[in-house]
Amino acid sequence: MTVDDVTATDTTLRATVTTSGRVGRFVTDDPFVADYGVDVAAVPESLLVVPVLAHVCPVAWATGATVAVDRVDAAFLDSLRHVGQRLCEMYPSFMQGGRIVCGETVDGSHDPGERAGSALLFTGGVDSTATYVRHESEQPDLISVRGWVMRERDRWQRNREFFADFAAERGLDAHFVESNMLSFLATPLLQAHFQRYLDGAWYSSVGHGLGLLGLCAPLTAAADIGRLYIAATHTEAWTRPWGSHPTIDDHVRWSGTAATHDGYESTRQEKIETIADYVDSHSREITLRTCVHAEGPRNCSHCEKCYRTIVGLLLAGLDPNDHGYDYDAATVAAIRDTFESGEKHLSAQKRYHWETLQDAAREVEAIEAPGGAELLGWLRDADFGASVEQSARPLGQRLLQATARQVPTSVYATLYPVYRRLAAGR
């Protein structure tokens, strides 16, 4: 795998990658593209290449491929060596390791972390909002990314307006990064081949810590950002592999900038309580943006993640209706049905989050909301382990991925567009 050409014109980065052999089926012929909304034309090539390497290297490590590049920032190259070793330790069942061949390593003009400002990757969800509250005194820039969970243009525009308002109300700078990182990679085929080893999708389970942080490298140079926060998803109680982890993120750095995995010591419920304390002490409401299905300014309020957040807010003494959700007594029966029907796929990660809520429920005397007593009684005694065991990914999805694993490379280029359409619609 060779990174052939890396250029930046005004706000946009483009790079081409040539592949051969087994790794070729996991990278499309499309160029890698990222738009930063600020001029990155003067950023050195050694940093412009960082977003590309951050996305192709995990694929190379999974297939034992070599990545060749003309020049790269020396600090980031050290990061790649550490992250590659860590991912191979996390996933010994399929990570093979690989080599990075670099024509020139460039020692930047700054040591990692030396630039003046700080920033955080911001989604408006519980984790990133808690990270903002924890670091409010730094007045961090907010960085929102279109390309992973937010890809549809209409939804991105709605969320962009939400993020811009959140930043403006607090006097913060907001940056909006748009990239094709998941369509540049043949993500459906990565899913098909490696899903059986993962508790989640390829990008969340393997690539998103290094990928999202690395994507920001040109922006940090242009906007003078020295500390880049990424909010933790889990605590040390979560023992399964995951693509964002302190042993990965805290080692990601390049000239002028160092990353920090923030909030690893706090459960999701403790983060909601941090937000609740902030709302109480500042007499200021915060609207959360957690839902991947939202069609309007509020969350959908009936997906698993919305239910999880609604329950967390109730346990923290907050009214979900004040924070972007619709809740009434009927919501309790719908939440119970999600687990008792077995119709929805519930991963081990979801079990982890709900059992954290269960622990919190056992410390709460009452929920002062419609249906609160019923919800609290059910939550304290629910068997989330059994709910996970009786659920499964949809049969159609499993068959589609099993079939895709058998597609010969010689016909892959023909069948991939069909597969992508099927995967998008399943």
Side-chain angles (χ1 to χ4, degrees), residues 298-335:
R298 293 172 71 82
N299 299 282
C300 83
S301 300
H302 54 73
C303 68
E304 180 276 331
K305 194 169 186 181
C306 281
Y307 288 157
R308 189 197 316 162
T309 311
I310 286 169
V311 171
L313 290 168
L314 290 167
L315 290 171
L318 296 177
D319 183 348
N321 296 290
D322 294 334
H323 300 279
Y325 303 87
D326 297 319
Y327 171 82
D328 58 28
T331 308
V332 177
I335 292 173

Side-chain angles (χ1 to χ4, degrees), residues 3-22:
V3 181
D4 300 305
D5 187 35
V6 182
T7 60
T9 304
D10 298 326
T11 64
T12 303
L13 160 69
R14 290 180 179 274
T16 58
V17 176
T18 301
T19 62
S20 61
R22 181 170 180 257

Side-chain angles (χ1 to χ4, degrees), residues 74-95:
F76 184 67
L77 184 60
D78 285 342
S79 292
L80 288 176
R81 290 167 178 155
H82 176 90
V83 173
Q85 179 180 352
R86 184 68 188 102
L87 285 173
C88 287
E89 292 168 353
M90 281 185 172
Y91 294 108
S93 56
F94 72 90
M95 279 285 177

Side-chain angles (χ1 to χ4, degrees), residues 74-150:
F76 184 67
L77 184 60
D78 285 342
S79 292
L80 288 176
R81 290 167 178 155
H82 176 90
V83 173
Q85 179 180 352
R86 184 68 188 102
L87 285 173
C88 287
E89 292 168 353
M90 281 185 172
Y91 294 108
S93 56
F94 72 90
M95 279 285 177
Q96 302 179 43
R99 292 193 309 143
I100 302 171
V101 178
C102 181
E104 177 187 0
T105 57
V106 179
D107 288 316
S109 57
H110 302 281
D111 289 333
E114 280 194 346
R115 295 194 178 97
S118 65
L120 66 95
L121 286 157
F122 186 72
T123 66
V126 169
D127 297 331
S128 62
T129 300
T131 289
Y132 164 72
V133 168
R134 289 158 57 97
H135 298 281
E136 182 187 27
S137 62
E138 299 176 31
Q139 286 287 279
D141 292 4
L142 306 182
I143 303 174
S144 298
V145 175
R146 177 189 177 206
W148 180 19
V149 294
M150 285 183 290

